[in-house]
Amino acid sequence: MPRLQSGVWKHFTPAIKDGRETFMCNYCSKTNSKNATKMQMHLDKCKEYSAFSQRSPGADGSSSASIPVPSSSFLPGATPGDGGHFLIDSVDQGSQAFADECLARAVYATGSPLTLTDNVYWRRFFSVLRPAYCPPTRHAVSLHLLDCEFERVSGRVRRAVAEADCVALVCGGWAEPRDVVDYVVSTPLPLFYKSARRTERASVGEALKEAIGEVGAQRVFAVVTEDAPEMAEAWAQVEEAFPHVSAVGCAAFGIRRLFDEIAGQPSLRALCRRAEQVVRCVRERRALADTFGHWQTTKMRSHDAAGNPVSAVLPAPAPSGSDWTSAVTMLNGLLEGQATLREMALSPTVDVDVSVRATLQDPAFWKGVAGGRNLLYLVGSRIDHVRREEQTLSAVVETLGQLRYHVGAELPGSSLHAGEQEAVLAALERCQEFCVRPIHAAAYMLDPKHVGQQTLSGEQVNGAYFVISNISHHLNLDQGKVLGSFARFSAKEGLWKGGGIWSSCRHVSPSTWWKGLCSSEPLSSVASAILQIPPTAAACEALRSRLTDAGSRCGGADGAGLSPERLEKLVAVQMNLKALEPSDHDFASPESQEEEVKISFESETQ
């Protein structure tokens, strides 16, 4: 549809005549075709519009507009054929601006296209809802309305940080070949803070210290990062400059790197190549795919041994750099169709490649597929486990402990050689060193779900005491009283003597448990702060995903053409609006309209 000249649209009402869309003048009721030039020419000649436009402005100097709108079938309360009555609707500057703000906020929060207000159907809806309201253009939604909303939401983020008793600074991008590093503050709500360009002059440590200073060193208790060659040195710089701040490695990143190292072992890579060859052979040849599907569903193999339904189609091979589930899904699909595939290899009527037939008849191949699937799933599933929103640092200690035990038990039955098994164990040690630091041990010891479980080494326990003492000093607490409170907690004495308080920890988060039930104890503020720190940089990954998605939606495809800076503002607003609960102010009408709205509502409900 051609776009009308600025301000013209509100003077016409869409209508359907003889099956085609027309526009009716709100002043003389004449209809026009949807031609912007002709509609403008009509207004220039319309005597009724000329008389209306010469009316003087309101006493307050506002440019309010009263627009007569012919009653038609799509307006509320109208009756068909009643064309002789008119509505009088008006929107003053204040109401127009407030409506624009609310509409833009809804567009940003829902990730709707910025060109939504240019769509003829949306404009028709707005004209039905409020005939005199003229929605903003896409340029207004992309420019000054976005700037205003960004400033408003940024103010709410600053207030949330100022009111938080513990803030963790989460950053992502150092481990990737990107020019931009993203920063998210966890309060514990993940709130977008800023994106900053990497510079050659500033080291990672200097950049992290600068970001901590901007957020407020008094409130920051941890920095969560991915890994990078210079990250160990950066962590040391941060902890030296701010003794109460702990540097934390993203557990999901560390476990994903462990997964990649295991999947990269030569024996497992060779096994996956053979598995891909089988999958491609069956999927890409129509006759084989049809035979596999038919035999899988008709030869009593529609369910596995556990009674679960199995697929009649083999999953696609795992693409390079894909999510960990792709490789596991491919291997699992082969195991589900194992009986059918082996029978196809034995059948003289099925044309299977010689090399694939040999693979399907090889018992060592199937043993390797089962062992590889189990090992990769064991590690990969832990990535998703630690990424859960409710997880704490204590969950990382528990997860890595389980990984050490189960991987050690699974390795002998895998297809990996002795040297490769040693390499996997070495990778597991590196993962443990990156993911579990003294503050993790402190979180594990302070988590009521793990109290009394002696799984930490003496060195880890001493590190936990050191972290607790540092945070106590930072909060101006008596360290002796804090450690005394910790002793009573560990021994389940005093406040923690009854059984009810321990059963309650299964129903609330650990930090809430400490703040809500144990607030009288000196240890409470230390424990609640430590147990609010996120174990991963998943918030930064979600931010980058949003940036990519918004870039595809707001590039040339929908005409918005946002610059990187404005795209960053859009994603910041969208992410923070989703995290922050709307306040009463978000839904309040302008002060000048409060009494009018109240009176109108009361009169309509009486």
Side-chain angles (χ1 to χ4, degrees), residues 6 20 28 61 139 147 159 192 240 308 499 539:
S6 176
R20 62 187 183 88
C28 66
H139 298 290
D147 290 335
R159 290 195 297 273
F192 174 77
E240 181 181 0
N308 301 313

Side-chain angles (χ1 to χ4, degrees), residues 406-434:
H406 291 295
V407 169
E410 197 68 42
L411 279 177
S414 68
S415 60
L416 301 182
H417 302 312
E420 294 172 334
Q421 294 182 26
E422 293 179 3
V424 169
L425 294 176
L428 189 56
E429 289 295 328
R430 289 192 295 271
C431 179
Q432 174 90 12
E433 182 180 353
F434 174 75

Side-chain angles (χ1 to χ4, degrees), residues 6-85:
S6 176
V8 174
W9 176 275
K10 63 183 180 181
H11 303 292
F12 292 86
T13 299
I16 302 297
K17 183 177 181 180
D18 298 331
R20 62 187 183 88
E21 188 175 44
T22 60
F23 294 87
M24 182 169 56
C25 176
N26 293 338
Y27 308 95
C28 66
S29 300
K30 290 184 179 180
T31 58
N32 294 267
S33 61
K34 59 175 185 179
N35 183 292
T37 302
K38 290 183 178 180
M39 295 170 79
Q40 183 65 59
M41 291 173 62
H42 170 82
L43 279 183
D44 293 340
K45 297 177 181 180
C46 181
K47 295 179 180 180
E48 287 80 0
Y49 170 69
S50 178
F52 167 79
S53 62
Q54 291 175 5
R55 296 176 185 175
S56 59
D60 60 353
S62 66
S63 58
S64 61
S66 298
I67 303 178
V69 183
S71 296
S72 59
S73 59
F74 62 83
L75 290 177
T79 58
D82 185 13
H85 301 282

Side-chain angles (χ1 to χ4, degrees), residues 42 54 132 149 175 220 350 361 379 381 462 547 567 580 584 592:
H42 170 82
Q54 291 175 5
E149 186 66 8
V220 177
V350 179
Q361 294 177 341
V379 179
S381 60
N462 289 335
L547 281 168
L567 190 64
L580 294 168
D584 293 338
S592 61

Side-chain angles (χ1 to χ4, degrees), residues 251-252 255 258 378-388 391-407 428 431-432 435-436 444 450 455 535:
I255 300 176
L258 172 64
L378 178 65
V379 179
S381 60
R382 298 307 194 277
I383 300 174
D384 292 342
H385 179 72
V386 297
R387 283 169 55 93
R388 291 178 183 172
Q391 293 293 24
T392 64
L393 295 177
S394 59
V396 179
V397 179
E398 181 181 29
T399 298
L400 267 295
Q402 293 173 349
L403 266 181
R404 291 172 64 90
Y405 174 79
H406 291 295
V407 169
L428 189 56
C431 179
Q432 174 90 12
C435 293
V436 179
Y444 188 81
H450 302 303
T455 60

Side-chain angles (χ1 to χ4, degrees), residues 132-385:
Y133 172 62
C134 182
T137 65
R138 65 168 184 193
H139 298 290
V141 176
S142 304
L143 297 175
H144 80 271
L145 287 174
L146 178 58
D147 290 335
C148 292
E149 186 66 8
F150 177 76
E151 290 302 320
R152 189 191 71 86
V153 172
S154 296
R156 291 200 60 190
V157 170
R158 289 190 292 269
R159 290 195 297 273
V161 170
E163 295 169 0
D165 53 5
C166 170
V167 174
L169 185 64
V170 184
C171 63
W174 295 109
E176 302 175 12
R178 301 171 66 237
D179 295 331
V180 177
V181 178
D182 302 313
Y183 292 90
V184 171
V185 289
S186 174
T187 65
L189 290 174
L191 302 172
F192 174 77
Y193 185 69
K194 71 171 185 176
S195 291
R197 291 200 168 275
R198 301 172 64 170
T199 61
E200 296 180 357
R201 292 179 295 177
S203 65
V204 177
E206 292 298 325
L208 292 178
K209 290 191 293 183
E210 180 181 350
I212 292 172
E214 290 179 8
V215 175
Q218 182 69 22
R219 302 183 185 89
V220 177
F221 285 81
V223 174
V224 185
T225 74
E226 299 165 333
D227 198 7
E230 61 270 51
M231 197 57 71
E233 181 181 351
W235 285 359
Q237 293 177 16
V238 167
E239 293 178 343
E240 181 181 0
F242 309 103
H244 68 284
V245 176
S246 295
V248 177
C250 171
F253 182 92
I255 300 176
R256 175 65 205 227
R257 187 172 58 182
L258 172 64
F259 179 91
D260 291 340
E261 290 193 56
I262 294 176
Q265 296 302 315
S267 296
L268 201 47
R269 281 209 315 270
L271 175 72
C272 288
R273 282 197 298 269
R274 294 180 72 188
E276 287 182 11
Q277 184 185 20
V278 172
V279 170
R280 292 186 186 280
C281 177
V282 175
R283 283 176 60 91
E284 295 175 2
R285 293 176 59 180
R286 181 63 180 271
L288 290 181
D290 290 345
T291 301
F292 175 80
H294 178 70
W295 288 13
Q296 185 80 338
T297 55
T298 60
K299 294 198 173 187
M300 304 303 292
R301 298 192 183 105
S302 57
H303 293 76
D304 59 18
N308 301 313
V310 296
S311 174
V313 180
L314 287 177
S320 177
S322 61
D323 183 72
W324 70 267
T325 57
S326 299
V328 174
T329 300
M330 180 186 69
L331 296 178
N332 195 60
L334 281 175
L335 290 174
E336 289 181 349
Q338 178 180 356
T340 300
L341 291 170
R342 298 183 76 165
E343 188 170 341
M344 288 172 62
L346 294 172
S347 174
T349 61
V350 179
D351 183 18
V352 180
D353 293 348
V354 175
S355 58
V356 172
R357 190 184 298 273
T359 296
L360 295 176
Q361 294 177 341
D362 184 4
F365 168 75
W366 292 109
K367 179 181 178 182
V369 169
R373 187 274 311 269
N374 294 342
L375 184 60
L376 293 178
Y377 177 78
L378 178 65
V379 179
S381 60
R382 298 307 194 277
I383 300 174
D384 292 342
H385 179 72

